[in-house]
Structure formats: C-alpha cells, structure tokens
Amino acid sequence: MSGKIAVEMRVNGETVRAEVPPRMLLVDFIRDVLGLTGTHIGCDTSHCGACTVLFDGKAVKSCTMLAVQARGHEITTIEGLARDGELHPLQRAFQNNHGLQCGYCTPGFIMNAVELLNRNGNPSEEEIRFHIGGNLCRCTGYVNIVKAIKEAAQGR
Ligand code: FES
Ligand code: FES
C-alpha cells in the first residue's frame, strides 16, 4: 500500500485528481503537484497570508489546511482570476497603483481582497485595513495596497 489518499477537487474551474500523502499541505499540493506557483509560501506558520487562496469562495491560508481537506471543494488561485487574457480588476488596480514592489505578498493580498469585494462592494478604508490584517507586506507600507483595493471596488 502506498499510504497515499486519492483526492478530487475543482481548481480554477477544472477538475483535478491526484494521490497525495495524508499530511501534504494544500499549499504544497497547489504548488508542487499542480504547478500553480503563483500561490506563495512566506512563513508556513499561518502568519503572512502569502499562500491565500479561495476555498468555496472564502479566503483561506492554504498552509493551514491539508490537501485531503479540500476533497470535493472549489479552489481558486491567483492563476484563476484573469479572463480571456484580461487581468482581474484587482490585478489591474494593483498594477495602476503600484500596490507591489517585490510582489511576493501580492497574490495573497489579491485573493483576500477578492473575497472582501465579493462580500462588500464598497468597503471603507477601515474595513479594507481590517480585512487585510492577516496579510503581511515587507515592502510597500500598505498605503498603495489599500488604494488599489479601493480603486478596484470603485471600478466594479
Ligand atoms: S505561508 Fe501561509 S500564512 Fe504564510
Ligand atoms: S511587495 Fe514585497 S512583500 Fe509585499
């Protein structure tokens, strides 16, 4: 017996199937098995938010979950946001507002902001800052990230 467990889930709209070790983290499954390396690992201890993806539409830190816990669920990663070659409005707003420098934290911020704007199309600055409280950025000082999220909300 291999000790592996069969998993099947939808990722960015496609059904994926694989056999994984029972203790494989969802972030490692996304990056190493599916090759979707836009989801980053910054800390591996649930602090930085670089690994944030949508899990049935809710933002989750994918280093805090096992791949087997995603069986039968719908995952969206940063690679799943653009449509027909067009950036998602949040991706465009981050670009327009210089909401990134090294970019390491950016996929996590954007996925978290997608959840916020799906829930609240017109968040206040305070609500934006509260919502992104679990995402860390070592470069930007957050001002342009908040501006980008506001611009994306206004453009919806
Ligand atoms: S890598 Fe998951 S929170 Fe930092
Ligand atoms: S842009 Fe470098 S960590 Fe955020």
Side-chain angles (χ1 to χ4, degrees), residues 83-95:
R83 288 276 172 276
D84 304 323
E86 288 287 319
L87 291 179
H88 184 280
L90 271 160
Q91 291 173 306
R92 237 185 1 255
F94 269 67
Q95 190 179 47

Side-chain angles (χ1 to χ4, degrees), residues 2 4 11-12 18 39 53 82 132 142-143 151:
S2 69
K4 291 192 172 175
V11 179
N12 299 335
T39 300
V53 299
I132 62 174
Y142 303 96
V143 172
E151 180 183 288

Side-chain angles (χ1 to χ4, degrees), residues 18-35:
E19 299 217 331
V20 300
R23 296 177 62 171
M24 176 176 257
L25 295 175
L26 180 58
V27 68
D28 292 327
F29 177 73
I30 290 169
R31 289 177 54 84
D32 300 342
V33 178
L34 302 182

Side-chain angles (χ1 to χ4, degrees), residues 27 40-52 60-64 104 134 136:
V27 68
H40 293 162
I41 300 174
C43 66
D44 223 357
T45 53
S46 84
H47 286 94
C48 75
C51 64
T52 303
V60 299
K61 293 177 176 178
S62 59
C63 74
T64 65
Y104 201 84
L136 300 181

